[in-house]
Amino acid sequence: MLIKFFNDPERLWKLVTLLTSGVGTTCAIFALTLLLSAPLGILAALARMSKHTAVRGPVIFYIYIMRSTPLMLQIVCFYYLLPQLLPFRANPFGTVIFAFVINYAAYFAEIFRGGIQAIPVGQREAGHVLGYERTQVFMRIILPQAIKNVMPAVTNEVITLVKDTALASTVAITEIMIIAKQQVSVSSSVEPFLLAMILYMILNGIAGQFCKLAEKRLGYY
C-alpha cells in the first residue's frame, strides 16, 4: 500500500483528528466496563466461594461460559439476541457495555477469589476478636489486602481491556478501530492502522500508570 498520509502533513492531521474523535467512545467503553465489572467480579467471587451449591453452582457455570467463549462472539450474540428477549429496543452501545461487563466480571471473579483465599484465616479471627462483624472484617481487613495482592493480575486485565475495546467495531460502534478500518478502505493505505496502534499504546500507557499509582497507594498493606 502506498504512503498517502505520512508524507502529507495536512492529510495526516486530518487523519489524526478523525481517529482521536473515536477516543471518547473507546474511553467510555473502558471506564464503564471497569467501574461495573470490578464490583460485580467481587460479588461473583464471594458467590463462587459460597458453601451453598445453589449459589455456587450457577456462578461457576457463568464463569465457565464467559471464559470459554470469545468476547467477540459474546458481543455479536448479545447484539442480536437481546432485542429478541427484551421488551424494549436494545441500544447498541448499551449492548456492548453489557457484554464487556459480564465478560470481564467473570475474569475479575477468579482473580479476586484467589486474592481473598490467599489471606490467612488468622486475619479473619483477629478481626472477630477486635469486635468486628463479618461484613466489617471483609470490608476493612480482607478486601483491601486482597485487592493489593491481585493488583498485578488486575493491571494485566486493564491493559487487555484497552485493547479489547476495538471489538466494539464488530457491531459498528464508532471507536478508534472502526474509524481506522474506514480510512484504510477509503485510502487503500495501512497508515490509519499504524496511527490507531499508536493511540492504543498511548491509552495503555496511561492506564498502566494509573494501575501503578493504585498499587503504590495500596503498598502500606
Side-chain angles (χ1 to χ4, degrees):
M1 294 186 181
L2 299 175
I3 297 176
K4 298 184 178 181
F5 295 96
F6 290 160
N7 59 356
D8 187 338
E10 185 176 349
R11 291 192 67 187
L12 180 61
W13 176 249
K14 288 181 180 180
L15 177 60
V16 171
T17 303
L18 279 173
L19 289 174
T20 52
S21 68
V23 170
T25 304
T26 296
C27 291
I29 295 172
F30 169 81
L32 288 172
T33 300
L34 193 60
L35 289 174
L36 296 174
S37 63
L40 183 59
I42 293 174
L43 293 176
L46 295 175
R48 172 74 173 77
M49 295 185 291
S50 174
K51 296 179 181 179
H52 303 288
T53 306
V55 176
R56 186 177 66 252
V59 174
I60 292 174
F61 184 62
Y62 148 70
I63 292 173
Y64 174 75
I65 292 175
M66 291 297 105
R67 297 176 70 194
S68 301
T69 55
L71 177 55
M72 180 185 292
L73 180 60
Q74 294 168 19
I75 293 171
V76 173
C77 285
F78 286 125
Y79 183 77
Y80 291 105
L81 183 62
L82 286 183
Q84 307 299 322
L85 300 177
L86 297 176
F88 54 87
R89 184 179 179 85
N91 180 280
F93 182 79
T95 303
V96 167
I97 295 300
F98 178 78
F100 269 83
V101 168
I102 64 170
N103 176 276
Y104 270 84
Y107 286 92
F108 281 133
E110 289 297 276
I111 291 173
F112 286 120
R113 180 174 69 89
I116 292 169
Q117 291 181 333
I119 304 300
V121 178
Q123 297 276 353
R124 296 176 176 84
E125 295 174 347
H128 292 308
V129 169
L130 291 173
Y132 288 146
E133 296 179 358
R134 185 175 180 180
T135 302
Q136 291 176 316
V137 170
F138 178 76
M139 295 300 296
R140 296 184 180 183
I141 299 175
I142 305 302
L143 185 59
Q145 294 182 79
I147 292 176
K148 189 266 180 185
N149 291 340
V150 302
M151 273 307 297
V154 169
T155 300
N156 287 337
E157 289 300 311
V158 168
I159 291 172
T160 301
L161 174 57
V162 173
K163 296 181 289 185
D164 279 351
T165 56
L167 296 177
S169 64
T170 58
V171 289
I173 298 296
T174 306
E175 44 72 61
I176 295 173
M177 193 62 189
I178 197 169
I179 295 174
K181 287 180 180 178
Q182 291 170 349
Q183 292 304 307
V184 167
S185 177
V186 170
S187 65
S188 299
S189 171
V190 76
E191 292 161 297
F193 282 152
L194 296 177
L195 287 176
M197 185 185 302
I198 293 171
L199 281 177
Y200 281 116
M201 290 172 64
I202 292 172
L203 292 175
N204 253 326
I206 295 172
Q209 287 301 314
F210 275 111
C211 288
K212 286 182 180 179
L213 288 174
E215 190 171 355
K216 186 176 181 180
R217 288 180 64 88
L218 291 166
Y220 61 88
Y221 285 106

